[in-house]
Amino acid sequence: MYSGKLFDNINCGPLALKNRIAMAPLTRQCADDDGTPNDEMVAYYARRARGGIGLIITEGTYPADNLSGVGYLNQPGCETDKHQAGWKKVADACHKHGAKIILQLMHAGRVADPRTIKEGEQPVSASDTKSTGWVLYTDNDTELHDRGLSGDWPQVNFPPARSLTEDDLNAVADDFAAAAKRAIDAGCDGVEVHGANGYLLYQFTDPKQNLRTDAYGGSAENNMRFPNMVVDRIRAAIGPDKLISYRISQDGVDDFTGFWEAGQSYVEALGVELGKMDADVIHWSSFNWKDNRFDPSAPPVPVTLKKISGKPFITNGNIFDGASAEDVFDQAAGDIVAVGRPTFAHPDWAYIVASGMDYDWMEFDRKYVIKPAYDYTYAYPTGLPERDWAPNAKMKR
Ligand SMILES: Cc1cc2nc3c(=O)[nH]c(=O)nc-3n(C[C@H](O)[C@H](O)[C@H](O)COP(=O)(O)O)c2cc1C
């Protein structure tokens, strides 16, 4: 049997979690066309809750179809009564299996899928900039056809973005707060504010994209002013008893080897700002949490951010088994681990690890991600039985 800290109970802000395993937020574009979470999504999340995850962090969800807030077709929203009712079904199903669930709220900013931008509107960002584009993360034939793309890993381009005015900033922060309130009313245990991976709030944190000369740009403190404003409004809307997580990264979807040019000094300054934020926990997002691209002899970025901010950390990136999770705790890089691709491929990841048995890990395959084929019944069974799963090292499906 596995005997590490991964299955210890832990308190995270106001939440008592049964273990230290979070499911990382993973976009799937499976909601109904109007952004309503549907029964397939209920089954998908419930399946992973049943698999033993302590904290489900949902896929990035748009707060409002406003100012390029919607990032993807069939992305779920949390803006309407219908959305809220859909999320209630998801939250209830996860709770039934003993997991807590927080809803990730994300505004796409300049990397919103151009097809989601309304006629006559322009995507928004921290400054007047244009993304260099990104590689499309799908094997879905319809999506390739709709976008007129072909081949493996095709490139998607984005139109130029305009900088948000002070009025816009207030409107977006209010949208986040209203959506967070809806998430709580739907039964979620909190929210995660997506400040990572290239989306709007990251566009403020990344000095390459934030060229503002007002109070919202020019230093780590100013770059974090808008993220802080969003968190403060959410706190005012949902109160102290619900969790707020803030997710941050160096990489963006259009900058997979993101690099903060001021290096370690910027990391340290961000650590100070994160320490002041009214979030209960900070979530480091990466594809390998051990990376330090400025100075390989310096500690991994989340170690520095955690130490300087003094906040609890959820740490993510290339954690795939019990030993790689323990490493996070041993190096004081995080209190909770967030596991992404492995929980896509293996809904029972937690129980497989708990069993301590050798397991033939299936390679993560992007075709199971965005609009997965519905015959992939292993991952998406409906009519879930009560949790009575017994780890079985031979079982792949
Ligand atoms: C298909 C896919 C979709 C993702 N969607 C989101 C998302 O909606 N929100 C987010 O913060 N990160 C998203 N991520 C990033 C993951 O949460 C995570 O940071 C990344 O997969 C690395 O962690 P892992 O090594 O455990 O997979 C996504 C990653 C993948 C592969």
Side-chain angles (χ1 to χ4, degrees):
M1 286 297 280
Y2 169 86
S3 62
K5 300 189 198 77
L6 199 50
F7 293 90
D8 291 351
N9 297 335
I10 187 166
N11 289 331
C12 181
L15 302 187
L17 303 179
K18 67 179 176 186
N19 60 38
R20 295 168 174 240
I21 305 169
M23 177 176 162
L26 295 160
T27 285
R28 301 174 59 244
Q29 297 181 245
C30 280
D32 290 348
D33 288 346
D34 68 354
T36 304
N38 50 32
D39 289 349
E40 188 276 340
M41 289 170 62
V42 176
Y44 164 83
Y45 282 110
R47 183 70 185 80
R48 280 143 189 86
R50 190 186 72 148
I53 287 165
L55 178 67
I56 304 272
I57 308 175
T58 73
E59 65 211 87
T61 299
Y62 64 83
D65 182 4
N66 187 22
L67 292 167
S68 70
V70 180
Y72 299 96
L73 298 182
N74 295 96
Q75 181 187 10
C78 197
E79 183 182 14
T80 66
D81 289 349
K82 245 181 120 197
H83 295 162
Q84 189 177 319
W87 283 120
K88 180 162 187 339
K89 287 193 206 163
V90 174
D92 288 350
C94 292
H95 287 152
K96 203 171 129 213
H97 294 292
K100 305 282 189 208
I101 173 168
I102 61 174
L103 186 106
Q104 189 187 61
L105 289 171
M106 89 171 222
H107 186 301
R110 73 177 201 174
V111 291
D113 182 330
R115 293 172 299 173
T116 66
I117 308 286
K118 292 178 198 147
E119 193 73 36
E121 288 193 356
Q122 195 183 352
V124 297
S125 188
S127 302
D128 296 340
T129 59
K130 181 178 172 342
S131 166
T132 50
W134 72 356
V135 169
L136 185 66
Y137 210 79
T138 186
D139 270 353
N140 184 281
D141 288 343
T142 315
E143 179 147 15
L144 292 176
H145 176 267
D146 288 354
R147 290 179 183 263
L149 298 170
S150 61
D152 288 339
W153 310 106
Q155 182 85 4
V156 176
N157 291 310
F158 299 97
R162 70 163 177 86
S163 60
L164 288 158
T165 64
E166 185 97 33
D167 282 351
D168 294 333
L169 293 172
N170 277 295
V172 172
D174 285 342
D175 288 342
F176 268 93
K181 175 76 171 57
R182 281 192 179 275
I184 302 305
D185 291 347
C188 292
D189 302 289
V191 293
E192 176 165 281
V193 179
H194 198 348
N197 302 354
Y199 302 108
L200 182 67
L201 300 187
Y202 167 102
Q203 292 159 28
F204 279 78
T205 317
D206 179 12
K208 290 193 293 300
Q209 298 187 45
N210 186 345
L211 312 174
R212 296 177 81 104
T213 51
D214 61 5
Y216 298 97
S219 64
E221 185 180 7
N222 285 357
N223 293 356
M224 290 299 288
R225 194 175 307 281
F226 181 51
N228 266 311
M229 180 171 145
V230 169
V231 169
D232 287 345
R233 296 245 176 127
I234 291 177
R235 182 62 81 197
I238 69 173
D241 301 331
K242 300 294 173 189
L243 186 88
I244 300 181
S245 166
Y246 187 80
R247 195 170 213 225
I248 189 164
S249 70
Q250 192 173 196
D251 295 336
V253 282
D254 55 351
D255 188 9
F256 267 111
T257 50
F259 193 89
W260 292 325
E261 276 157 13
Q264 194 66 10
S265 65
Y266 191 65
V267 175
E268 289 169 10
L270 280 181
V272 172
E273 296 311 313
L274 290 173
K276 296 182 202 160
M277 187 177 248
D278 194 7
D280 300 291
V281 63
I282 306 298
H283 183 177
W284 177 251
S285 169
S286 69
F287 279 94
N288 188 343
W289 67 268
K290 291 187 182 170
D291 274 355
N292 186 321
R293 296 185 185 139
F294 323 113
D295 175 3
S297 67
V301 175
V303 172
T304 305
L305 288 177
K306 178 170 162 55
K307 190 169 164 199
I308 293 184
S309 67
K311 292 272 191 192
F313 258 63
I314 301 171
T315 295
N316 160 254
N318 203 30
I319 296 154
F320 50 85
D321 61 8
S324 55
E326 287 302 316
D327 222 11
V328 171
F329 307 136
D330 291 347
Q331 293 198 39
D335 308 280
I336 292 168
V337 293
V339 185
R341 291 162 296 174
T343 59
F344 256 137
H346 302 274
D348 295 314
W349 188 86
Y351 280 107
I352 296 165
V353 170
S355 77
M357 296 163 94
D358 283 342
Y359 187 80
D360 185 11
W361 296 108
M362 185 163 62
E363 187 89 15
F364 166 76
D365 186 329
R366 67 192 166 129
K367 74 168 159 288
Y368 298 131
V369 180
I370 309 294
K371 295 185 195 296
Y374 290 113
D375 61 358
Y376 190 54
T377 46
Y378 172 58
Y380 313 106
T382 49
L384 295 166
E386 281 308 305
R387 177 150 55 115
D388 58 355
W389 189 84
N392 173 353
K394 300 273 181 302
M395 191 175 76
K396 251 183 154 186
R397 304 192 157 244

